Amino acid sequence: MAGALLRVICPTENASFAAPTLFSLVPKNGSQVRGYSTVCSRLKFSTGVSAAASLSSLVANPPGSSEKKVYEVVLKQAALVKEQKKEKILDVITGNDQAESMTRGDLLNGAYNRCGEVCAEYAKTFYLGTLLMTPERRRAVWAIYVWCRRTDELVDGPNASHITPKALDRWEQKLNDLFEGRPYDMYDAALSDTVSKYPVDIQPFKDMIKGMRMDLKKSRYKNFDELYLYCYYVAGTVGLMSVPVMGIAPESKASTESVYNAALALGIANQLTNILRDVGEDARRGRIYLPQDELAQAGLSDEDIFKGKVTDKWRSFMKGQIKRARMFFDEAEKGVAELSAASRWPVWASLLLYKQILDSIEVNDYDNFTKRAYVGKAKKFASLPIAYGRALMHGSSKLAEPARS
Ligand SMILES: CC(C)=CCC/C(C)=C/CC/C(C)=C/CC/C(C)=C/[C@@H]1[C@@H](COP(=O)(O)OP(=O)(O)O)[C@]1(C)CC/C=C(\C)CC/C=C(\C)CCC=C(C)C
Ligand SMILES: [Mn+2]
């Protein structure tokens, strides 16, 4: 079943690019790029950079330029949320939010439901989590999930060996089209609708494609600054795409920037964990997603990774890497309480589940060459009530309240 679905959702290399307007139903979203330069010049990257920089300096690395670059996107996203709050009030006054036709609604429902099916097939636990969200938010997260999954499948899926930069250009053009209300297929139609309703900017989506481009041509990372940028591209972006849809609690006192920063940190933490889990698997594909300078400082070389022997040097290197990933999780945890009530539980659940992969690497005595660290079913189930408790206790509002923002 998964294989069949994969073929369906994996965008085919040969698909004609003329992007027929199969679902040209979505109004042009003209509200994507506003307020960016003002916010940037006012905040001068200060808050987020210092948070991320203090993390990266922990393991022998000076703060680098990637964090500044990424923080610009965070500020831009945060500015969009503020803009949309104003627009919503205007819509209520003018009645614009009731202007959708019935036909469009039916087609879109079908498209969203397909996104839900894909999500349920590929990410069961996460899908269950989304069921706790309001129906509107849930289907929007599904649409984002499917686009991310399809993008990842381009370079990680069964057709990955045929993927060229040109194919990614075509994928990016489809992205531009869907943001302008010209979706290519029904999954895109769902996302096109989502981005017209929520303050989601195109930049994180483009950046994810950039990450896939990077993956096509790069198999080594000189230092943590380079790795950080890669992690932002392929995973930090997911955090930035998700927050506008999951919503910030209306009663949250935190700055929008700080919530985006936490979301970014969760993406980075997840990706770093993913990398540490998959060291052996990646090495067998000739790839090493570890900072080369830190490997050298630990007295380790690429050869040691390819040999895959767990030595004291390797253990000590891994301890540092795990510590850094946990710091990003800690940074992320600060932001979950600020999300709208119904979104906190699924985010806590996914955070706790992913973080436990790090514990599992330790239990495996740092053998991530031949053993794949995983979280067993019992632990997975145990995490759900823990996540619920945290969502209930550390929140700006009670869980039972409907999300409003
Ligand atoms: C509630 C929740 C988790 C929402 C996010 C839903 C969403 C849109 C997920 C998309 C995930 C996806 C398909 C990304 C494509 C790139 C990719 C595969 C990244 C890796 C994920 C792990 O997937 P997997 O194990 O399948 O990877 P492999 O195929 O094995 O390589 C990543 C490691 C990163 C995923 C990143 C996130 C889920 C970011 C989550 C951040 C938030 C939801 C923000 C929360 C907000 C605050 C304030 C903390
Ligand atoms: Mn992948």
Side-chain angles (χ1 to χ4, degrees), residues 216-231:
L216 285 187
K217 58 175 189 230
K218 194 170 161 88
S219 59
R220 298 290 185 280
Y221 293 81
K222 264 194 243 138
N223 48 38
F224 184 66
D225 191 50
E226 281 194 12
L227 186 65
Y228 176 89
L229 191 60
Y230 173 71
C231 292

Side-chain angles (χ1 to χ4, degrees), residues 149 152-153 155-157 212 215 230 271 274 277-278 285:
R149 176 52 67 201
D152 186 54
E153 286 295 329
V155 294
D156 235 6
M212 304 305 160
D215 224 11
Y230 173 71
Q271 189 60 33
N274 193 281
R277 181 193 68 188
D278 295 343
R285 298 187 302 137

Side-chain angles (χ1 to χ4, degrees), residues 126 133 141 144-145 148-149 152 156 208 212 234-235 238-239 242-243 246 259 262-263 266-267 270-271 274 277 332 335-336 339 346-347 350 354 372:
F126 165 63
M133 297 176 177
V141 175
I144 296 177
Y145 175 86
C148 292
R149 176 52 67 201
D152 186 54
D156 235 6
M208 183 178 276
M212 304 305 160
V234 300
V238 180
S242 312
V243 172
M246 294 191 299
V259 182
L266 183 53
N270 283 349
Q271 189 60 33
N274 193 281
R277 181 193 68 188
V336 190
L339 292 174
V347 171
S350 83
Y354 233 77
R372 185 177 165 98

Side-chain angles (χ1 to χ4, degrees), residues 64-329:
S65 59
S66 296
E67 287 144 350
K68 284 184 192 150
K69 213 175 187 172
V70 171
Y71 199 59
E72 285 182 39
V73 187
V74 170
L75 290 178
K76 189 175 167 189
Q77 284 285 312
L80 277 174
V81 171
K82 286 172 198 157
E83 281 293 323
Q84 209 227 11
K85 272 186 192 154
K86 284 186 220 148
E87 268 170 26
K88 261 195 178 163
I89 296 168
L90 260 180
D91 277 350
V92 172
I93 297 166
T94 59
N96 278 351
D97 55 345
Q98 288 159 13
E100 283 176 23
S101 79
M102 285 297 285
T103 335
R104 181 179 166 230
D106 286 349
L107 284 168
L108 273 174
N109 280 344
Y112 274 120
N113 287 341
R114 283 293 297 135
C115 291
E117 281 167 26
V118 172
C119 188
E121 182 64 32
Y122 281 90
K124 270 193 192 70
T125 321
F126 165 63
Y127 174 78
L128 291 177
T130 62
L131 297 182
L132 303 167
M133 297 176 177
T134 61
E136 279 292 313
R137 291 182 199 270
R138 165 195 315 160
R139 61 186 210 159
V141 175
W142 290 343
I144 296 177
Y145 175 86
V146 168
W147 186 88
C148 292
R149 176 52 67 201
R150 294 173 93 191
T151 307
D152 186 54
E153 286 295 329
L154 286 173
V155 294
D156 235 6
N159 296 322
S161 55
H162 307 295
I163 293 301
T164 59
K166 266 229 161 90
L168 291 176
D169 290 345
R170 286 197 288 273
W171 188 239
E172 190 160 351
Q173 187 51 53
K174 284 181 191 165
L175 174 72
N176 286 321
D177 287 347
L178 80 85
F179 263 83
E180 285 174 9
R182 294 189 307 275
Y184 178 74
D185 58 26
M186 70 170 170
Y187 301 108
D188 282 358
L191 185 59
S192 191
D193 182 61
T194 289
V195 303
S196 75
K197 288 188 172 141
Y198 294 90
V200 182
D201 186 40
I202 196 169
Q203 193 61 46
F205 293 83
K206 288 191 163 198
D207 285 346
M208 183 178 276
I209 298 177
K210 251 191 210 163
M212 304 305 160
R213 288 187 199 282
M214 205 179 217
D215 224 11
L216 285 187
K217 58 175 189 230
K218 194 170 161 88
S219 59
R220 298 290 185 280
Y221 293 81
K222 264 194 243 138
N223 48 38
F224 184 66
D225 191 50
E226 281 194 12
L227 186 65
Y228 176 89
L229 191 60
Y230 173 71
C231 292
Y232 158 67
Y233 283 152
V234 300
T237 48
V238 180
L240 302 189
M241 295 168 193
S242 312
V243 172
V245 169
M246 294 191 299
I248 298 176
E251 61 285 353
S252 165
K253 302 260 181 321
S255 70
T256 314
E257 294 83 24
S258 69
V259 182
Y260 275 97
N261 235 7
L264 167 70
L266 183 53
I268 306 277
N270 283 349
Q271 189 60 33
L272 288 174
T273 302
N274 193 281
I275 285 171
L276 297 178
R277 181 193 68 188
D278 295 343
V279 170
E281 200 181 305
D282 289 333
R284 285 185 282 283
R285 298 187 302 137
R287 306 182 156 273
I288 300 177
Y289 296 96
L290 298 166
Q292 292 279 314
D293 60 348
E294 293 174 21
L295 278 171
Q297 275 159 28
L300 292 159
S301 65
D302 285 3
E303 270 316 295
D304 293 313
I305 311 280
F306 292 133
K307 274 189 210 142
K309 197 159 175 262
V310 181
T311 59
D312 282 344
K313 277 183 193 167
W314 178 249
R315 287 188 188 92
S316 142
F317 172 79
M318 277 301 298
K319 280 178 194 170
Q321 302 298 314
I322 289 176
K323 187 169 180 180
R324 176 190 278 144
R326 286 197 175 121
M327 290 188 76
F328 277 97
F329 278 118

